[in-house]
Amino acid sequence: MTQGLYFMVYRETEARGPAQPHAIMAATLEKLKDRVICVITNDGRNIVGVLKGFDQTTNIILQECHERVFSTTAGVEQVPLGLYIVRGDNIAVVGEMDEEADAALDLSSLKGDHLKPVIH
Amino acid sequence: MLPLSLLKTAQGHPMLVELKNGDTYNGRLVSCDTWMNITLRDVICTSRDGDRFWKIPECYVRGNSIKYLRVPEEVIDMVNEEDLERERTYNTLSSPFVSHLLPREARHWQVCPGLSKSGRVGGWTRRP
């Protein structure tokens, strides 16, 4: 009986468009709206920007974003990117950025290894 | 703001699309759909390594092959208030947790933006 109900709900959501997983996840991103966030993508890129919007599949709108490129030899390089829509499939991690702690960092002297891409 | 509404607003604007395979497509957005499938016009495609280029008058990109889209900054200011109001209603009433509580007929009703201002709860109306 319950299984039938879930099947009905699934059918309705499918007709509406892309799959709609967890509303719980969306509630977490709602808290970060209009805050500066740090996104790690599946290819190991680190992108910092203001979260302007998101949806159930974690597609994200980032405003005034820039990519932080880490290297073991030179300091951190910040590449300005502008307005981005990042597809949810490519997002590994989203985290809130502590702006005070970030301002205290001296990025030009920070060295580190780059992240490896996600392997499935 | 929903990413797909931003994309819809960006129709007609030039943009950069990077695919999962690393190729970049620079062109003007013609149209998009709910699965992020897009059609672009006057496209310059650059291979992953940046060594090969193609000029394509029109192309279709499947949504699930997109990594990200870079959109001009002015587009975000163009998403107007009415679309945001419509989104707010859509987000609450379309969730599967809520929608199965609505009467059976309601499932194919769509949000009518004009009615939400008249004070009707949720702004839902029957569409043929």
Side-chain angles (χ1 to χ4, degrees):
Chain A
M1 163 73 184
T2 335
Q3 275 177 331
L5 182 65
Y6 283 131
F7 177 71
M8 265 166 57
V9 171
Y10 179 75
R11 284 284 294 273
E12 298 310 319
T13 54
E14 215 182 48
R16 225 170 278 117
Q20 297 189 358
H22 325 287
I24 310 159
M25 175 279 308
T28 323
L29 280 184
E30 185 64 45
K31 279 188 270 174
L32 298 177
K33 208 155 169 216
D34 294 315
R35 304 260 191 97
V36 180
I37 58 163
C38 184
V39 176
I40 300 178
T41 59
N42 278 2
D43 48 10
R45 270 189 255 217
N46 189 356
I47 302 177
V48 175
V50 180
L51 177 69
K52 290 311 274 187
F54 59 91
D55 61 16
Q56 299 285 62
T57 54
T58 335
N59 297 329
I60 266 175
I61 303 176
L62 282 176
Q63 194 181 36
E64 290 164 26
C65 62
H66 50 268
E67 183 187 340
R68 289 193 180 174
V69 186
F70 291 87
S71 93
T72 45
T73 48
V76 177
E77 187 195 345
Q78 295 213 74
V79 183
L81 300 172
L83 181 61
Y84 253 39
I85 299 174
V86 187
R87 203 174 147 96
D89 308 342
N90 285 97
I91 291 171
V93 182
V94 173
E96 188 179 4
M97 185 75 124
D98 182 347
E99 289 183 80
E100 288 166 17
D102 189 51
L105 288 174
D106 177 17
L107 290 171
S108 53
S109 62
L110 213 58
K111 291 185 179 55
D113 206 354
H114 60 88
L115 287 169
K116 289 195 212 138
V118 169
I119 320 165
H120 291 283
Chain B
M1 188 189 313
L2 291 178
L4 288 172
S5 346
L6 182 69
L7 194 59
K8 207 153 167 87
T9 316
Q11 280 177 14
H13 288 76
M15 60 177 54
L16 187 159
V17 185
E18 181 165 323
L19 267 49
K20 290 188 168 140
N21 62 11
D23 290 351
T24 46
Y25 287 71
N26 262 288
R28 203 166 281 270
L29 182 70
V30 175
S31 59
C32 61
D33 65 14
T34 47
W35 294 274
M36 216 188 268
N37 300 327
I38 56 175
T39 51
L40 299 167
R41 195 155 284 161
D42 304 325
V43 184
I44 297 180
C45 171
T46 309
S47 69
R48 187 198 189 102
D49 307 313
D51 55 356
R52 280 181 297 158
F53 304 87
W54 291 267
K55 200 156 179 208
I56 308 167
E58 251 186 281
C59 77
Y60 169 87
V61 178
R62 197 153 178 209
N64 63 3
S65 66
I66 293 174
K67 195 187 291 184
Y68 63 79
L69 305 113
R70 184 172 173 179
V71 174
E73 305 222 4
E74 60 263 17
V75 177
I76 204 159
D77 303 317
M78 290 168 52
V79 180
N80 63 21
E81 271 311 310
E82 211 179 298
D83 291 332
L84 291 173
E85 177 58 49
R86 189 175 349 150
E87 272 178 27
R88 243 171 270 137
T89 330
Y90 181 78
N91 276 335
T92 26
L93 293 174
S94 72
S95 130
F97 300 104
V98 176
S99 71
H100 80 272
L101 297 171
L102 292 170
R104 196 193 219 125
E105 304 80 59
R107 288 204 190 108
H108 59 263
W109 290 0
Q110 293 178 44
V111 178
C112 183
L115 279 183
S116 63
K117 288 185 181 153
S118 72
R120 269 184 78 167
V121 175
W124 287 73
T125 191
R126 198 183 291 260
R127 279 264 184 94

